[in-house]
Amino acid sequence: MSNLSEDQKSLVEKINILKREKNAIVLVHNYQRPEVYDVADFIGDSLGLCQEAAKTDADIIVFCGVSFMAESAAILNPGKMVIVPFLDAGCAMSDMVDAGALKEFKKKHPDAAVVTYVNSSADVKAVSDICCTSSNAIEVVESLPNKKIIFVPDKNLAAYVAKNVPDKEIIAWEGYCPVHHFVNKEYLDEVRKEYPAAKIIAHPESKPEVLKEADYIASTSGMIECAKKDDADEFFVITECGMTERLHREIPKKKFRGLCNLCFDMKKNTLASILRCLEEEKPVVRVDRKIAEKASKAFDRMFSLTK
Ligand code: 13P
Ligand code: SF4
């Protein structure tokens, strides 16, 4: 349990009562505010959240993350109601590609398979061959028969995959995450000097020069596993600022430091807005049925390869 104020405790209680009454679950990404963890039925990375969304028996999914994640839950659960506190909680990286531009790009590389990182809109997924997340991108690319891969939209994740799957030609889209992309090697050198005992864990959305220096490269949930397994008592994580809270909560005996780079859209959700959303059962996340059918094929391929 987080260190909650009396007001927050009362909000948590109200949300939990409504969840039971409405047979609702709350899915929460690791970057959410710590008090939001207290109403979560599941906290995880994009892959874990997709898996939970795909298997739930709940009637309502309250999604606490950003829009591409909630859209994914809606695509994977066509008969269920997916609601979010704010429809405009977006992802800067996912806005760097649109379906029209990707369709044009594909024409230049007709023999390539399109691997799309889940940080993308449903429209983009609908014109892709397969989805991937930060925890299975290498596995997904390795498993494809195509030699040529268009990797969308993160150029840093694309470079990480290219390094690990050298027999494929990876054609990267020019997208990036502003939270991770502006960290450089000089910054890491300073971290090493200041905290020589700390192991560095970097998210694969980081630049190649950063990943090269890291002790571990992992998705947000993968970071928790790395820190649990490693004997070190101190870690520095190169990812969104909220991840250190999540790590403290999972592994209270170890010390975690990190960047103060915020993903503002991830921080929009509050307990009050979650309660309002559950009371009013809106806003509802809607994905056009034809788009959802096409996008769900890209998800199915990912799930069948990475079970
Ligand atoms: P994860 O799937 O590793 O949680 O990453 C999602 C994300 O948006 C990272 O910036
Ligand atoms: Fe998107 Fe970056 Fe925010 Fe993740 S941290 S949701 S990739 S903008």
Side-chain angles (χ1 to χ4, degrees):
M1 190 85 162
S2 310
N3 209 357
L4 301 180
S5 68
E6 287 310 310
D7 276 359
Q8 287 175 322
K9 281 184 197 156
S10 146
L11 287 167
V12 168
E13 213 169 294
K14 286 181 186 159
I15 292 168
N16 285 336
I17 292 170
L18 268 188
K19 271 167 50 176
R20 278 193 296 274
E21 281 176 13
K22 298 192 177 208
N23 188 27
I25 56 161
V26 180
L27 300 183
V28 173
H29 186 264
N30 289 316
Y31 291 163
Q32 291 287 290
R33 295 164 184 258
E35 64 270 24
V36 173
Y37 300 154
D38 289 312
V39 293
D41 293 277
F42 177 81
I43 313 172
D45 63 4
S46 305
L47 181 61
L49 289 163
C50 284
Q51 286 164 336
E52 280 307 303
K55 70 176 189 213
T56 184
D57 292 329
D59 295 315
I60 301 180
I61 299 173
V62 184
F63 207 104
C64 298
V66 288
S67 55
F68 76 81
M69 297 177 175
E71 264 189 0
S72 303
I75 293 164
L76 294 166
N77 270 296
K80 299 229 165 95
M81 181 189 277
V82 178
I83 51 177
V84 289
F86 298 101
L87 278 177
D88 64 351
C91 163
M93 181 203 289
S94 94
D95 293 343
M96 292 177 189
V97 56
D98 65 77
L102 178 55
K103 271 197 217 160
E104 283 307 305
F105 194 71
K106 275 166 64 169
K107 285 183 193 160
K108 291 188 205 153
H109 307 281
D111 50 339
V114 179
V115 177
T116 293
Y117 187 29
V118 284
N119 296 38
S120 54
S121 68
D123 292 12
V124 168
K125 290 182 180 89
V127 294
S128 306
D129 294 302
I130 186 165
C131 289
C132 74
T133 72
S134 59
S135 55
N136 64 20
I138 293 173
E139 204 183 338
V140 164
V141 169
E142 263 173 351
S143 68
L144 293 170
N146 310 59
K147 178 118 183 58
K148 238 180 180 185
I149 308 287
I150 296 173
F151 195 97
V152 182
D154 187 5
K155 63 177 172 182
N156 291 322
L157 186 59
Y160 171 62
V161 170
K163 191 167 181 256
N164 284 281
V165 194
D167 56 321
K168 305 261 181 191
E169 184 190 343
I170 310 284
I171 306 155
W173 194 264
E174 258 304 305
Y176 59 86
C177 163
V179 173
H180 294 85
H181 183 69
F182 297 106
V183 183
N184 58 19
K185 183 187 174 297
E186 286 68 38
Y187 181 85
L188 247 70
D189 291 343
E190 288 301 315
V191 170
R192 287 264 190 229
K193 252 191 249 162
E194 206 166 335
Y195 309 109
K199 289 272 172 77
I200 296 180
I201 315 177
H203 194 277
E205 288 175 13
S206 311
K207 277 182 182 165
E209 68 187 52
V210 169
L211 296 183
K212 201 166 162 242
E213 300 297 319
D215 296 299
Y216 293 103
I217 299 164
S219 75
T220 55
S221 292
M223 290 180 176
I224 301 172
E225 298 317 309
C226 292
K228 276 185 183 162
K229 279 190 203 141
D230 195 290
D231 289 340
D233 294 323
E234 220 181 310
F235 296 85
F236 195 101
V237 288
I238 306 290
T239 193
E240 204 265 350
C241 158
M243 196 59 210
T244 49
E245 287 288 345
R246 176 82 179 104
L247 285 154
H248 277 303
R249 192 180 168 106
E250 279 298 316
I251 318 167
K253 286 198 184 112
K254 298 194 177 186
K255 198 177 270 176
F256 297 98
R257 294 190 178 86
L259 304 172
C260 32
N261 294 7
L262 267 183
C263 177
F264 290 103
D265 286 86
M266 277 282 184
K267 299 297 193 253
K268 279 186 177 160
N269 300 328
T270 57
L271 290 173
S273 61
I274 294 167
L275 178 62
R276 189 232 331 118
C277 160
L278 201 44
E279 280 170 345
E280 297 175 358
E281 297 184 14
K282 66 176 194 194
V284 176
V285 178
R286 296 189 197 281
V287 183
D288 173 85
R289 195 174 52 81
K290 282 203 176 111
I291 296 288
E293 275 168 13
K294 287 184 188 157
S296 84
K297 291 205 175 94
F299 273 112
D300 289 347
R301 286 188 202 111
M302 172 180 88
F303 285 132
S304 69
L305 289 174
T306 60
K307 254 172 201 153

